[in-house]
Amino acid sequence: MRLIKVIFASVIISIIISLFGSLIISLFVSLLNYIPLSKREPDIYYFSIGESLIFGMLYITPILFLVSIIAFIIYILIGKIKRISHLTNVLLSILISGTITSLTIFVIDKNNETDDIYLIPKGFEGDVFAFYNIKGAPMVETENGYEMHVINEKGYFVTSKPDMDYGTVTDKYYYVDEKGDRTPISNKCVSLFGTLGFSTFDDDEEIDLNYTGFKLTKDKCSDEFMTESNGAEESQKEIIREILKHYYGVEQ
């Protein structure tokens, strides 16, 4: 009965804390990455603050709930040691449960890394895209555990792989010359777009394109460029039209 009360209280407290925490984080991220309505692309879906808040709660609430349950179990176990005071027991329970949860999340996140390599034509500058779920496109090849993205002269790569990898961005970027020699590109020259998508219909069949990308610069490499919010330019529309025509026979 006591455990049920603790679980119920943990759920309520976790939801309340998640609500306020997610609200603060969502507002901060939204303001930091805000794109004016006049600059938004018509074929790209932009999350609202409300949606960001919901996703934040869905992520934070289970973590806080897990911490609460582990803390309660540890509290019961430590409570059997009579020499430890109630306050010490509470602090130790929270500390240990927080550590266990943090290590668990770290291990999970460590297994959720993007691990992509982008091979870009030497001298290219501008928008780079990787399109997934493209019917008839080749599957992704790998090299030492990294998925290879060979970018063409127009700045994009296509694959039939259903979706991109999500998680911590551990990607590597290289310029490639005509001989195939690679020159590493600093992460400070890359400004990520995030995940993007495009949907259309052809004879009542829905076509879903999942893609991601980044803006690449040669002369403005800096911490500021790497973290600034950049919207994909007109080039993505031309690329999408080309992909739809080549792989689906659809004219846009």
Side-chain angles (χ1 to χ4, degrees):
M1 188 66 180
R2 187 180 178 186
L3 178 59
I4 295 176
K5 291 181 179 179
V6 170
I7 292 176
F8 180 75
S10 299
V11 171
I12 299 300
I13 294 173
S14 298
I15 291 175
I16 293 173
I17 295 176
S18 299
L19 176 62
F20 286 101
S22 300
L23 179 60
I24 294 172
I25 295 173
S26 298
L27 286 173
F28 177 76
V29 173
S30 298
L31 291 174
L32 187 64
N33 298 314
Y34 179 73
I35 299 176
L37 294 175
S38 60
K39 293 184 179 181
R40 295 187 180 187
E41 300 291 341
D43 299 321
I44 300 177
Y45 186 79
Y46 296 87
F47 283 100
S48 65
I49 293 178
E51 289 170 320
S52 300
L53 178 61
I54 292 173
F55 282 115
M57 287 184 62
L58 291 175
Y59 180 79
I60 297 175
T61 299
I63 295 175
L64 294 176
F65 176 71
L66 179 61
V67 171
S68 301
I69 297 302
I70 295 175
F72 173 73
I73 295 173
I74 294 173
Y75 176 84
I76 296 298
L77 294 175
I78 295 178
K80 296 180 180 181
I81 304 175
K82 296 181 179 180
R83 294 180 180 180
I84 296 180
S85 67
H86 172 71
L87 179 59
T88 302
N89 190 351
V90 171
L91 293 177
L92 283 175
S93 300
I94 295 174
L95 178 62
I96 295 173
S97 63
T99 302
I100 293 174
T101 304
S102 298
L103 290 175
T104 303
I105 294 173
F106 174 79
V107 172
I108 294 174
D109 285 344
K110 192 65 179 175
N111 293 327
N112 292 327
E113 298 178 338
T114 54
D115 289 345
D116 294 328
I117 289 180
Y118 288 86
L119 302 180
I120 304 164
K122 184 177 180 180
F124 184 91
E125 185 175 29
D127 293 345
V128 176
F129 298 100
F131 287 85
Y132 297 80
N133 198 36
I134 306 300
K135 183 178 66 177
M139 282 297 293
V140 177
E141 296 183 1
T142 60
E143 178 183 289
N144 298 324
Y146 280 75
E147 294 187 345
M148 306 293 292
H149 295 64
V150 182
I151 306 301
N152 60 23
E153 296 293 334
K154 295 183 179 179
Y156 71 93
F157 163 83
V158 294
T159 177
S160 57
K161 182 181 176 181
D163 204 354
M164 66 195 78
D165 294 322
Y166 298 92
T168 303
V169 178
T170 54
D171 300 343
K172 298 180 180 180
Y173 313 92
Y174 297 93
Y175 275 128
V176 182
D177 61 19
E178 295 178 353
K179 297 180 181 180
D181 296 328
R182 302 180 186 180
T183 302
I185 300 173
S186 171
N187 287 341
K188 294 183 179 181
C189 302
V190 175
S191 180
L192 301 177
F193 293 145
T195 57
L196 305 166
F198 174 85
S199 296
T200 188
F201 286 89
D202 177 43
D203 295 331
D204 295 328
E205 178 185 359
E206 186 175 8
I207 300 173
D208 289 316
L209 308 183
N210 305 317
Y211 62 107
T212 185
F214 53 87
K215 186 176 291 295
L216 178 64
T217 184
K218 293 186 294 183
D219 305 319
K220 299 179 181 179
C221 303
S222 65
D223 291 328
E224 290 75 17
F225 177 80
M226 182 175 62
T227 57
E228 71 181 12
S229 177
N230 283 303
E233 297 177 354
E234 186 70 22
S235 58
Q236 70 172 324
K237 295 181 180 180
E238 298 177 6
I239 292 172
I240 289 174
R241 282 195 289 267
E242 183 173 308
I243 291 174
L244 290 174
K245 182 178 180 180
H246 181 79
Y247 289 95
Y248 298 92
V250 175
E251 296 280 356
Q252 282 281 319

